[in-house]
Amino acid sequence: MSTRTLGRRVLAGAGALSLALTGGVMGMAGTAQAATKTTPVFVKCVAPAPQPGANGNQDFTVTLPDGAKAGDVVPITIDPGETPVIPMFTIDTVNTIKAKLIVGGVAQTVTSPATPSHQEANKKADPPAFGGTVTVPDGTEGTTIQVTIDQVITDADLGGTVYTTTCTPDPRPSAPVGSVAVAAVPKEPTTTKVTPNSGKAGTAVVVTGANFPAGPVTCGALLAGAATGDTGTGTADASGAATCNLTVTKKADEIKIDGSVGAGKAFVYLEDQPGVRNPVDVEVLPGPLAIGPQSGNPAVSFGKVTVNGKPQSVVGQFTAMSVQDFRGGSLGWDVTATRTPFLNTATGHSMAKAQIGIQPSCTVTNPDSPSTCTAGAPGAISDVPLQIASQKAGGEDLTGGEFAVGGAGMIQLPPFMFADTYQTVVTFSIA
């Protein structure tokens, strides 16, 4: 099965390389004991010049479980039909598809694995099936949630450079392409906190939890997964918030409210040791939240292009920047990007209509990092900050780590401009 195409040609008399990719829309493939629905969706696909975009119907076959509970992570598969795009070139690329969905009113993205693609010229692209997961939103108990398509983005990798095509339903988002019946029961009960989370025999502990049925609850201490015999009682209110009290009398490494899904919360048991006590204190100071290098990255080359009376696109790669979060807390962060206008300050020429976009990336570079990071959505960089990457706040859990932030870039040029050398300065900031 062929997938989306990325082509190239040398502009006559220019000696410059213009790369283009075609786009298409994915559909969805089924799994056993799940509901499958095929829906035609009218899409408008935009591809970099010189490859023309296309408008037309794309058949989406979406497979989802018949039912689930609020908060569940459920499988979804996507099996495409032919896209409306007719590629101009025969090319081999490695393609990744990001399907931006609206699941019960909440935006979620399903991403395909990087898949080798061989595309024949003048034949419609036909992406292969891929699967992923979506989360049933909280607060949807007893309803049937609808899944719609908000946008489909295809990244085609040609020799390490990524080219992006975007297909958007019209109207946006699409009509429902799938649904899930949500059970009229609360999401899974969990233990959320133990206070205090350390102590010796005789320590009174308050355990809290969420999503419990209203009424009495019990809790217990465990050691290596086995109950120690220390138990307690408490209540859950109408909102599902539970509080339970117990006294630790013997060694334990975990405490949880009975009925909790997953592990409880860690407890450090302090044993009395015979002999002379000699307390040892250590103070851990917070480190910085920083993005580097502070001296700035070298200029990014987007090559050359020759004026030909048509809009053109050129591509490049932003050098990865390091993000270090050594604050030793549970805070999150956001990296954003802004830019200055395209100018040549010596000649005074400018390109007011030129745009620069980025396909953000964010990876963990220190395997001991307690957090992961999330890349932002592709978009145009302007004087309004664009989110490039983020780390979620941890609540009761430790956050931080070391990361690399960057991304592929594309400059969209107007059909006419002064022949000159232009520069914009893109600034990445963290907060």
Side-chain angles (χ1 to χ4, degrees):
M1 184 180 288
S2 61
T3 57
R4 289 184 178 78
T5 298
L6 180 135
R8 66 179 182 180
R9 71 177 183 185
V10 177
L11 301 177
L17 184 66
S18 178
L19 298 169
L21 77 105
T22 69
V25 184
M26 37 122 251
M28 302 194 164
T31 57
Q33 299 178 353
T36 300
K37 178 182 178 182
T38 299
T39 307
V41 176
F42 186 81
V43 294
K44 295 182 177 180
C45 297
V46 178
Q51 169 65 50
N55 303 336
N57 283 330
Q58 176 78 31
D59 287 340
F60 286 76
T61 305
V62 178
T63 301
L64 287 160
D66 286 315
K69 291 185 290 186
D72 281 356
V73 177
V74 300
I76 184 172
T77 54
I78 300 174
D79 187 12
E82 290 185 338
T83 78
V85 176
I86 301 178
M88 298 171 60
F89 311 99
T90 298
I91 199 73
D92 290 301
T93 59
V94 177
N95 292 357
T96 303
I97 301 172
K98 295 185 180 75
K100 294 190 171 185
L101 308 176
I102 306 296
V103 181
V106 177
Q108 301 186 41
T109 300
V110 177
T111 302
S112 76
T115 304
S117 165
H118 175 77
Q119 180 64 54
E120 297 289 336
N122 302 316
K123 292 184 179 180
K124 287 186 176 181
D126 192 2
F130 64 93
T133 60
V134 293
T135 301
V136 179
D138 293 338
T140 58
E141 294 87 348
T143 68
T144 296
I145 61 170
Q146 303 297 329
V147 178
T148 61
I149 298 168
D150 185 57
Q151 204 169 56
V152 177
I153 298 169
T154 301
D155 294 333
D157 187 322
L158 178 63
T161 301
V162 177
Y163 305 92
T164 299
T165 291
T166 301
C167 294
T168 305
D170 186 15
R172 178 183 182 183
S174 71
V177 295
S179 62
V180 179
V182 185
V185 296
K187 61 182 181 178
E188 301 289 5
T190 58
T191 299
T192 57
K193 190 175 183 180
V194 172
T195 307
N197 60 3
S198 65
K200 59 184 180 179
T203 299
V205 174
V206 177
V207 193
T208 58
N211 310 315
F212 286 85
V217 297
T218 59
C219 52
L222 300 95
L223 179 62
T228 67
D230 289 338
T231 61
T233 59
T235 58
D237 62 20
S239 70
T243 302
C244 190
N245 297 274
L246 66 78
T247 298
V248 175
T249 66
K250 52 184 71 70
K251 188 174 182 179
D253 58 14
E254 178 186 345
I255 297 174
K256 66 188 299 184
I257 300 178
D258 296 331
S260 291
V261 174
K265 290 298 180 179
F267 182 84
V268 179
Y269 184 77
L270 305 177
E271 296 187 78
D272 284 328
Q273 301 291 334
V276 178
R277 296 179 180 178
N278 188 10
V280 176
D281 293 339
V282 59
E283 184 179 7
V284 178
L285 301 177
L289 172 67
I291 187 169
Q294 293 303 310
S295 59
N297 279 333
V300 181
S301 174
F302 278 78
K304 301 177 181 179
V305 68
T306 299
V307 177
N308 64 2
K310 298 179 181 179
Q312 299 182 71
S313 299
V314 290
V315 297
Q317 185 75 27
F318 288 100
T319 304
M321 294 150 287
S322 64
V323 170
Q324 295 178 326
D325 182 2
F326 298 152
R327 292 172 293 176
S330 58
L331 298 173
W333 51 256
D334 292 284
V335 171
T336 58
T338 57
R339 72 171 178 90
T340 60
F342 280 98
L343 296 172
N344 185 312
T345 55
T347 64
H349 294 152
S350 66
M351 292 193 301
K353 294 184 179 180
Q355 295 185 352
I356 182 169
I358 186 172
Q359 176 78 46
S361 64
C362 188
T363 57
V364 178
T365 57
N366 184 338
D368 292 328
S369 300
S371 294
T372 59
C373 63
T374 302
I381 304 175
S382 66
D383 58 351
V384 178
L386 173 71
Q387 187 180 67
I388 302 300
S390 63
Q391 170 192 278
K392 291 183 179 179
E396 297 292 333
D397 298 321
L398 177 66
T399 60
E402 295 183 271
F403 314 89
V405 176
M410 176 179 288
I411 300 174
Q412 295 178 329
L413 300 170
F416 293 98
M417 71 210 90
F418 280 104
D420 207 339
T421 299
Y422 299 86
Q423 185 179 75
T424 179
V425 178
V426 177
T427 300
F428 295 85
S429 304
I430 191 166

